[in-house]
Amino acid sequence: MDSAKNIKFYDFRYLNYSFLGMKIAFIIIVMIYTTCYFRHCLYAGIINMLLLFSSCSLLDQSIQVEDNGLNPIIGAACQETPVPTTITPTKIYYVSTSGNDQNTGLSPSQAWKTPHHAAQTVTQPGSLIALKRGDIFIETQALRIFRSGTQESPIIWDGNYWGDGEKAVLRAAADRTAPNLAIVNISGASHVIFQNTTIDGSGYNVFGLVVGGTDSYYSPDAIQSMENNIIVQNNHILNCGDQNDDYVIAALIQTWNTDMSDIHFINNHVDGASNHGITAYCGRAVHGATPSTLTDLYIGHNYVTNFGVNGQDRATGISMSQSVHNAVVECNRVQQGDRGNQTAMGLAGNEDGTPQNAHIRYNEVHMKNYPAFSIQNGYAPSAKVYGNFFYTENANSKAVIWLMIAGNGYSHNGSKASFQFFHNTLMAGQGNVYMDDTTTPGVNTFKNNLLINLGTQTNGDSCMVVNLGTSTNHSNNACFRPTTGNVLYAIDADSGYIYRDNIHSWEPSMVIENPDIVDIDQFDMNLNPTSPLIGMGAIVDIQRDINGTLFNNPPSIGAYEYPTQ
């Protein structure tokens, strides 16, 4: 029988990388040990580290993940050396398509046959349920994961632990209806890790992976209840839905009855969804839910493409709706793809709740003809958006950033909507770069952003459009339009059309010279040493750029600082 090997995963609870303070209390290197692994897998000299920090909070934390080729390098701010947490399972249960559910499950020769049997049988915290590599499990019913671990001993599902070939596959065989709408549903459980597995919808109308969710909708007998400390990492989630009108999501986090907390989606590859790629959605009263709150959501280091393949306007690559509080969305790459469309990243809210204190940072987005980032409806959401590179090739119908908040959406229960856009690099091939449809003063703060519009229209292709002149508090931005002559730079509902010759009467600190970027055509947006953006930004509470470089004092404009040392 094989000896237990350590399971390595990356849990940001053990890593506090503070951009605001970088307060480190102490670092202890605990031990170095060698463990023999199954068959050809040998890990030697693994270093276990404990990082203990003071004043820890989610917004100071940055997950570090192993580069497995799924997520293209975005910037050094997202590529710090990972700190692995290793867990030695208390028991290992093997599952293979060639197994038998009458077996013990405790060795490869005694493997169980179905993941469903494992989900029903395994109850002990610290257990590892190991799906055999190279096996394809054809699933006709939802896999409901409802057993809980503990913080020290989570229950782990892993599709890459034993066997040969590619990671294990859970594959749908037909369209699904309730109560089996999901391939995997983690419901009513806490302290669960689901990793290293391919979830393949095969183009059928089936949700990929759901955390929580409507009761008995995504899996039989599921009751959404206080899910917390769930980690979903290093998975492929593919081909969920097709081009028909069915509403299908690849990865969904949804409250229905109770609050949820500490849900982490890390380093997953999401490719193909009728509607959303990854979305957090708090259930609404109008649909029968008890409005609840999702706190401390982390979505980081994922690659999302081909979302919205059915063409519905509400689709997104990554999004959150209703009462999602203290979320961090960082270091993701979102790309429109050949089959998908609609908005890359978005926030939305209504009378049941709205996202609060979201940090959208260090993401890279490439879109063809839809916004890279949007905020809809309103009801007093708050977010800080910084250090991102957002690109839309054709932004004629909308914009790279599009704020489309409803007229009643700027205050709610005594709170006021508040958005801060700092140090982003935004580029449009044509159309509008930033469009603010707000009608209330002082909702948006827009500073130190580089806006590039490659469009050639004299009276179109603006950098900024604001519905109310005082809705966006803007300064120290840069707008680059390569087209010569007195071309349009901004549209202000109060001031009208603003061209190159009078842009400084609208924003005196705006830089309009060529930003002298390394290679716009290849999307290398770093600054050359002669860039006029160096040192032209205002001092804001952002410490580092997308590359992990400390901003100068004063900082440069855009997501990329030019290092002076």
Side-chain angles (χ1 to χ4, degrees):
M1 182 171 174
D2 304 293
S3 59
K5 61 183 178 182
N6 294 311
I7 300 300
K8 181 167 64 175
F9 70 99
Y10 299 101
D11 183 351
F12 70 91
R13 290 172 299 176
Y14 298 93
L15 180 63
N16 181 355
Y17 186 83
S18 171
F19 289 95
L20 301 178
M22 300 183 67
K23 298 186 220 176
I24 302 178
F26 52 88
I27 300 175
I28 304 174
I29 301 179
V30 180
M31 66 173 75
I32 301 177
Y33 61 88
T34 301
T35 304
C36 294
Y37 283 3
F38 177 74
R39 297 175 76 179
H40 60 279
C41 299
L42 178 65
Y43 285 57
I46 298 178
I47 301 177
N48 276 339
M49 299 183 186
L50 282 177
L51 295 181
L52 303 179
F53 300 89
S54 63
S55 305
C56 294
S57 69
L58 175 65
L59 295 182
D60 288 336
Q61 297 166 335
S62 177
I63 185 69
Q64 306 301 332
V65 296
E66 191 173 28
D67 180 10
N68 62 3
L70 298 184
N71 186 29
I73 292 176
I74 296 174
C78 301
Q79 299 294 325
E80 301 291 337
T81 302
V83 179
T85 296
T86 57
I87 293 176
T88 301
T90 56
K91 233 174 210 185
I92 303 171
Y93 295 93
Y94 298 84
V95 185
S96 170
T97 54
S98 61
N100 189 318
D101 285 343
Q102 302 303 312
N103 290 339
T104 65
L106 293 175
S107 70
S109 63
Q110 283 288 308
W112 288 328
K113 183 176 182 63
T114 65
H116 298 82
H117 181 74
Q120 291 287 335
T121 306
V122 176
T123 62
Q124 182 179 351
S127 296
L128 166 65
I129 300 168
L131 308 180
K132 187 178 181 182
R133 290 171 57 187
D135 279 7
I136 299 175
F137 298 86
I138 303 300
E139 300 296 312
T140 59
Q141 292 185 322
L143 172 62
R144 180 165 72 100
I145 298 173
F146 61 99
R147 307 291 191 185
S148 295
T150 66
Q151 182 164 345
E152 296 75 21
S153 301
I155 288 180
I156 303 169
W157 288 74
D158 195 308
N160 197 44
Y161 183 83
W162 71 293
D164 297 312
E166 299 296 324
K167 61 183 66 174
V169 178
L170 300 174
R171 177 171 291 165
D175 290 343
R176 300 275 191 91
T177 58
N180 283 291
L181 268 176
I183 298 176
V184 178
N185 185 196
I186 304 173
S187 179
S190 60
H191 300 287
V192 173
I193 300 170
F194 189 94
Q195 63 182 18
N196 301 325
T197 303
T198 294
I199 298 172
D200 184 6
S202 298
Y204 292 113
N205 291 320
V206 56
F207 285 59
L209 186 145
V210 177
V211 178
T214 309
D215 293 346
S216 298
Y217 193 70
Y218 299 104
S219 64
D221 302 319
I223 303 294
Q224 188 275 308
S225 179
M226 302 297 292
E227 293 83 1
N228 66 84
N229 291 280
I230 307 295
I231 298 175
V232 178
Q233 65 176 5
N234 300 333
N235 303 291
H236 283 74
I237 306 176
L238 311 174
N239 306 316
C240 296
D242 54 25
Q243 295 182 356
N244 63 30
D245 291 334
D246 288 319
Y247 185 73
V248 174
I249 297 170
L252 169 66
I253 310 106
Q254 183 185 31
T255 66
W256 191 255
N257 303 307
T258 67
D259 294 343
M260 298 169 61
S261 65
D262 296 288
I263 311 298
H264 317 144
F265 270 69
I266 308 161
N267 206 41
N268 301 287
H269 184 133
V270 178
D271 186 352
S274 287
N275 208 267
H276 301 291
I278 302 173
T279 190
Y281 185 91
C282 295
R284 298 187 60 188
V286 69
H287 298 144
T290 300
S292 304
T293 301
L294 169 59
T295 305
D296 293 348
L297 170 69
Y298 182 89
I299 301 175
H301 298 262
N302 302 283
Y303 177 67
V304 183
T305 189
N306 288 316
F307 46 90
V309 298
N310 65 6
Q312 294 181 358
D313 288 340
R314 55 187 172 177
T316 59
I318 298 175
S319 61
M320 61 189 79
S321 300
Q322 286 75 262
S323 295
V324 182
H325 294 179
N326 302 333
V328 172
V329 179
E330 69 175 4
C331 303
N332 301 283
R333 182 179 174 98
V334 182
Q335 190 162 344
Q336 186 166 331
D338 295 329
R339 294 181 289 136
N341 51 40
Q342 306 306 324
T343 301
M345 308 180 80
L347 305 178
N350 50 54
E351 63 274 14
D352 287 336
T354 190
Q356 296 291 324
N357 201 29
H359 281 222
I360 315 296
R361 63 191 185 191
Y362 309 125
N363 300 285
E364 184 172 339
V365 174
H366 293 250
M367 298 296 290
K368 295 178 181 178
N369 54 354
Y370 283 88
F373 182 79
S374 70
I375 299 173
Q376 303 180 47
N377 297 332
Y379 288 93
S382 62
K384 183 178 286 188
V385 182
Y386 58 95
N388 302 284
F389 173 64
F390 292 155
Y391 170 69
T392 298
E393 181 179 346
N394 182 347
N396 274 320
S397 61
K398 297 179 177 68
V400 179
I401 290 181
W402 191 24
L403 311 182
M404 39 187 174
I405 306 173
N408 63 346
Y410 309 112
S411 62
H412 185 59
N413 293 335
S415 298
K416 183 180 178 181
S418 176
F419 306 108
Q420 296 175 319
F421 296 89
F422 296 148
H423 286 293
N424 299 287
T425 295
L426 315 171
M427 185 164 72
Q430 58 182 322
N432 299 305
V433 181
Y434 171 84
M435 180 177 289
D436 173 16
D437 199 23
T438 308
T439 58
T440 299
V443 169
N444 304 308
T445 302
F446 195 80
K447 294 184 179 182
N448 300 349
N449 301 286
L450 168 59
L451 301 91
I452 300 172
N453 197 321
L454 303 178
T456 59
Q457 295 186 72
T458 299
N459 299 309
D461 299 326
S462 67
C463 283
M464 297 179 68
V465 179
V466 292
N467 189 53
L468 179 69
T470 57
S471 62
T472 294
N473 175 16
H474 55 93
S475 72
N476 297 86
N477 299 293
C479 171
F480 176 51
R481 291 208 57 193
T483 301
T484 58
N486 192 29
V487 296
L488 183 68
Y489 270 64
I491 302 174
D492 184 322
D494 297 335
S495 304
Y497 280 47
I498 303 163
Y499 292 83
R500 178 176 280 150
D501 63 358
N502 65 338
I503 186 64
H504 288 124
S505 64
W506 188 71
E507 183 177 312
S509 56
M510 181 174 283
V511 177
I512 61 173
E513 289 81 17
N514 187 321
D516 197 6
I517 289 169
V518 171
D519 194 334
I520 287 180
D521 293 337
Q522 297 300 316
F523 300 107
D524 184 348
M525 310 305 289
N526 288 283
L527 305 181
N528 284 313
T530 54
S531 171
L533 307 185
I534 296 173
M536 296 303 292
I539 296 174
V540 295
D541 61 343
I542 305 299
Q543 299 288 323
R544 293 177 181 270
D545 76 348
I546 194 171
N547 291 323
T549 302
L550 283 169
F551 276 112
N552 299 324
N553 187 1
S556 299
I557 295 173
Y560 302 81
E561 179 61 274
Y562 182 80
T564 58
Q565 298 181 0

